[in-house]
Amino acid sequence: MAREELTRLTGNTNGGNCGQGDCPNVYRTASGSFVVQGDVSTAFTPPAGEGLVEISEEVLREAVRALGW
């Protein structure tokens, strides 16, 4: 799936500092699931086929606002 196929929910309210796609973000897929972009986390070893990312509470709050929840 290409990034262009996703709906970006975050990174649009901080004055454009994340316009190049290089900041933590939350995206929504056409099927309604979410893709999270963030710093790789080593908090624990996830199961095979999964990964961990770390994003700030601010990014999650922005995603919730964008969804109108």
Side-chain angles (χ1 to χ4, degrees):
M1 160 181 334
R3 183 183 292 182
E4 295 76 25
E5 298 176 61
L6 304 171
T7 300
R8 185 174 172 175
L9 300 175
T10 59
N12 299 313
T13 61
N14 61 0
N17 294 332
C18 289
Q20 301 303 312
D22 58 352
C23 295
N25 281 297
V26 177
Y27 300 87
R28 190 161 198 184
T29 68
S31 66
S33 63
F34 297 92
V35 175
V36 178
Q37 174 187 352
D39 295 324
V40 174
S41 174
T42 57
F44 62 90
T45 303
E50 295 183 5
L52 303 175
V53 297
E54 186 173 338
I55 60 173
S56 69
E57 179 179 333
E58 179 182 328
V59 171
L60 288 177
R61 288 181 182 274
E62 186 180 347
V64 168
R65 281 193 302 272
L67 290 167
W69 293 354

